[in-house]
Every structure is written in C-alpha cells, then in structure tokens.
Amino acid sequence: MKKKLTFLGIETSCDETAAAVVQQDSNGKAKVLSSEVSSQSKIHEKFGGVVPEIAARAHLENIDFIINKCLQRSKIKLDDVDGIAATAGPGLIVCLNVGLSVGKTISAFKKKPFIAVNHLEGHALSPSLEKRLEFPYLLLLISGGHSQFLIVKNIGDYEQLGTTIDDALGEAFDKTAKMLNLGYPGGKLIEKYASKGNERKFNFPKPIINRAGCNLSFAGLKTAVLRETKNIGKDINQKYDLAASFQKTINEILKKKTLVAMNQFSEKTRKLNSHFVVAGGVAANLSIRKNLKEISLAKNFQPLFPKIEYCGDNAAMIAWAGIQRFKKKFKNKLDFSAKSRWPLDDKAPFMKGPGLKL
Ligand code: KG4
Ligand code: ZN
C-alpha cells in the first residue's frame, strides 16, 4: 500500500500570508488538515492596490505566527511532514522571498525535501483538493494577475491557448471598483453591486471579441467604464447599474472566448467529456460560475470550480501542488530563486507590448 504524504505549504506571492498542511491519503485523495490565510487588504486599501514593500514587511511580521497556528491546528509536527512546498513565482519578488526563504530554512533545518511551486500551478490543481481531475483538461485561470486558457496535460505540462493582451480580469474588476469608489479589492464588491443593478443600462465594448482566437483584452472596456463613471457621480443606483452592465459584458466575453477555447481543446486533444476547470480569485464570482457552467454543459464539458475558499490565494493549493510534484520526483535545490514572471507554458508567445500582431 502507498504511504500517506503530508506537506507544509507556504504562500506569500502577493498580499496574502498563507500556510497549510495537506495530506494525500493512500487512495490519492486530498485532506486539508489546516489552512490559514491572513489577508493584508485592510493595509493596502488606502493605497487602492498592493504596495510591494509594505506587503513584504507584513509577510515578515506574520509568517511565523501563521505557520505555527497552522501546524497547531493540523496537530502535525514539522518532524512528521514529508516535504515543504513554497510559492517561488510568479509574483512580487520582495513578497515571494519571504515565504520562499522561510520554506527553504525549514527544509534545511528539518532535512525535508523542498519543492518550489509555481503559484499558477497551485490554482490549476486547486479543484483536485475536492475532486479527482483527469488529464488533459481545459483550464481558464482568472486572477488578479493572470487570465489565460490552457490545456493541462499533466503536472508541469501545459499548453497555452490564449491569454490577455493587456489587463488581467481581476485587475479589470479592481479598477472598475476603484473608479466607482467602492474600495479594494474590488471583485467581490462589484459582484455585490451588480446584484442590485440593471445590466442593460450601459452598453460596453467587448474588445477583440470576434478575432484573435481565445486571447482576451480588457483595456478598452476599462476606458469605456472610466468615461461613464465621470458622468454618474455619486448616484448609488447608477453605480449598481454600471457594476451590473460591466459584469454582464465580462460574462459575454468569457462565454464567447470559452467556446473558442473549447473548440481548440477538442481539436487538439480529441477527448470527449473533459473537465473544464475555472480557477483563480475571479472564479469565486457566482454569476461567472453560473454562466460558464451553462456553456460547459451545452458543449459536453464537465465544469469544475474550486471551493470558494480555494479560489483566492491560499497555501492549501501550494502544498497540494507540492505533493503532486514530489510524487513525480520533481524536487528543487535550496538555491532556487524567486521569479516575478513564470509562465506555465514557457513556449507560449509573450502577448503584451507594442508591435503585437493579432
Ligand atoms: O487569485 P487571487 O486571489 O490573486 C492572484 O493570484 O492574483 O485573485 C485576486 C483577484 C482580485 O483581482 C479580486 O478582485 C478578484 O480576484 N476577485 C473577484 C471576486 N473575488 C475575488 N473578482 C470577481 N468577483 C469576485 N467575487
Ligand atoms: Zn493567485
């Protein structure tokens, strides 16, 4: 019988200080023994976004406490874990370095294997904390820093089908919330406001909707939102309507681009009835979940979303990705450096900047 595997995961890539202890049982099922997330959103709220140096300092002040709390809750001693997994990128270097250094130090002291985890792989595998995932599957990763469609062929084996050529989807939500003076982070607030508004009130553009495959663009939409926010002032009902119209536009863009991605996936893999995973912070949005579930069922894909608590940044998904990599015998040396940019598919073209042809 295969042995249980227990990993400590550490995540500090942006503004959440997180640690988790996750166990894989002998049947391959995940059990989250503890997962602690300390959000810094209150600290960054007054700046309207994450300030890297302040975030790194807050990680430093918090990390020991969070790891200890998490170990206590799991009732697991460091001596009994099989390995340490820490996020090594992509993200803010000064922030990544905090969790990565702590992870490497524990690994060195306790003589435990060390796994450097790609944060995006953590999101990609997050639904398998609850449900068994079958490769290959189609992934839509929508977070504060990334928006991409990928074929997940295996652990560490990805093919990018499309990505954003400008803003990430979470960023578009956050900027819209900022323009409406709703606060930070904005995604959840836009969703709340949208539930009270008339989604047909404003007509927003859908950039590159009929071209460029399943690549995405949100910059033109953001500019259009900015123009409207200047006209509506402090009128709360107009804010509700704008949030609802913005969210409806996003849903229409995601619907169209998901259909393109599904066709590309089916042509490339010839696989029927595959999973369609939607992960990352924006996957917590209930109207997006509903919209993408409907398309999946119509196109014979099995929709799969992480539990809401594992959509946003957390360390359970990092420990879990660490276990999966460890099983594949991918280990890392302690000189592994943090990476601000770390695409899952390193052969995919870089899709931002001047001179981009679509
Ligand atoms: O995955 P995540 O926690 O961090 C990154 O890796 O970036 O994603 C954070 C993003 C933020 O932009 C936040 O506004 C967005 O996810 N978000 C949402 C919702 N909850 C979080 N966007 C739309 N609707 C939500 N309910
Ligand atoms: Zn994330």
Side-chain angles (χ1 to χ4, degrees):
M1 193 167 95
K2 276 187 265 163
K3 130 184 192 334
K4 273 187 198 165
L5 282 172
T6 309
F7 262 63
L8 169 68
I10 301 170
E11 156 65 42
T12 60
S13 64
C14 191
D15 60 343
E16 257 95 30
T17 315
V21 177
V22 177
Q23 202 162 64
Q24 180 170 55
D25 71 15
S26 47
N27 296 316
K29 250 186 108 199
K31 191 168 177 192
V32 179
L33 301 182
S34 63
S35 174
E36 298 295 327
V37 181
S38 163
S39 170
Q40 304 172 4
S41 56
K42 282 270 160 296
I43 302 175
H44 300 289
E45 199 175 10
K46 57 179 173 291
F47 304 104
V50 180
V51 184
E53 272 67 27
I54 297 177
R57 183 186 284 237
H59 284 310
L60 265 175
E61 284 166 1
N62 255 328
I63 189 85
D64 289 355
F65 172 75
I66 291 292
I67 292 177
N68 279 327
K69 189 166 159 196
C70 165
L71 287 167
Q72 271 167 20
R73 292 225 160 135
S74 68
K75 302 196 169 53
I76 295 279
K77 294 195 181 70
L78 273 179
D79 289 314
D80 301 327
V81 303
D82 297 292
I84 316 292
T87 304
L92 301 166
I93 290 286
V94 282
C95 295
L96 288 162
N97 274 334
V98 177
L100 193 57
S101 305
V102 172
K104 288 174 179 176
T105 309
I106 298 173
S107 153
F109 263 98
K110 294 288 177 184
K111 298 193 172 41
K112 300 285 178 186
F114 173 72
I115 314 278
V117 172
N118 183 319
H119 179 85
L120 306 178
E121 182 156 70
H123 279 303
L125 303 176
S126 58
S128 56
L129 282 164
E130 268 93 39
K131 269 207 154 175
R132 201 178 281 268
L133 268 173
E134 209 185 283
F135 299 116
Y137 59 87
L138 178 64
L139 168 69
L140 170 61
L141 175 51
I142 36 178
S143 68
H146 295 85
S147 303
Q148 35 192 249
F149 287 101
L150 295 132
I151 302 178
V152 184
K153 298 177 180 174
N154 210 325
I155 309 297
D157 187 3
Y158 298 84
E159 180 178 343
Q160 185 178 296
L161 298 176
T163 184
T164 176
I165 60 164
D166 40 56
D167 294 347
L169 184 51
E171 212 178 333
F173 269 93
D174 292 339
K175 283 179 182 165
T176 299
K178 198 171 174 181
M179 291 186 257
L180 290 173
N181 269 321
L182 306 189
Y184 170 86
K188 239 186 181 164
L189 295 162
I190 291 284
E191 183 175 13
K192 196 168 142 204
Y193 271 56
S195 68
K196 299 178 186 165
N198 171 6
E199 62 178 24
R200 274 183 282 274
K201 186 69 185 287
F202 296 94
N203 198 5
F204 288 129
K206 292 171 224 146
I208 67 167
I209 190 80
N210 289 317
R211 60 191 178 92
C214 60
N215 288 302
L216 298 153
S217 167
F218 302 108
L221 170 58
K222 179 183 68 188
T223 312
V225 168
L226 178 64
R227 211 176 305 122
E228 293 297 349
T229 49
K230 289 197 171 136
N231 300 329
I232 67 175
K234 291 195 168 111
D235 183 334
I236 189 80
N237 288 314
Q238 295 245 54
K239 288 190 181 188
Y240 293 151
D241 293 344
L242 192 144
S245 305
F246 167 81
Q247 193 172 268
K248 175 186 147 245
T249 310
I250 294 295
N251 271 316
E252 286 171 356
I253 295 171
L254 289 181
K255 181 173 180 173
K256 180 78 199 289
K257 294 293 183 175
T258 297
L259 289 172
V260 176
M262 284 177 168
N263 285 338
Q264 289 184 6
F265 176 90
S266 301
E267 263 173 40
K268 282 175 184 273
T269 64
R270 303 265 156 218
K271 192 175 169 228
L272 298 172
N273 218 7
S274 304
H275 280 124
F276 173 45
V277 167
V278 187
V282 186
N285 184 295
L286 297 182
S287 86
I288 292 179
R289 284 168 101 102
K290 182 170 171 283
N291 174 42
L292 295 178
K293 197 172 169 187
E294 281 166 12
I295 304 162
S296 302
L297 299 176
K299 295 290 286 179
N300 285 324
F301 277 77
Q302 298 179 55
L304 203 52
F305 304 90
K307 223 170 154 178
I308 298 281
E309 64 183 290
Y310 301 134
C311 285
D313 289 348
N314 66 88
M317 68 182 191
I318 302 302
W320 183 237
I323 291 176
Q324 304 313 311
R325 293 188 80 78
F326 181 73
K327 284 172 65 190
K328 294 240 162 221
K329 309 209 179 328
F330 299 153
K331 279 186 225 160
N332 297 102
K333 296 206 176 112
L334 294 182
D335 60 358
F336 196 100
S337 303
K339 303 179 192 196
S340 57
R341 190 175 172 270
W342 189 3
L344 284 174
D345 174 1
D346 54 14
K347 291 185 203 71
F350 189 59
M351 297 293 283
K352 283 184 185 168
L356 180 67
K357 288 198 180 66
L358 290 168

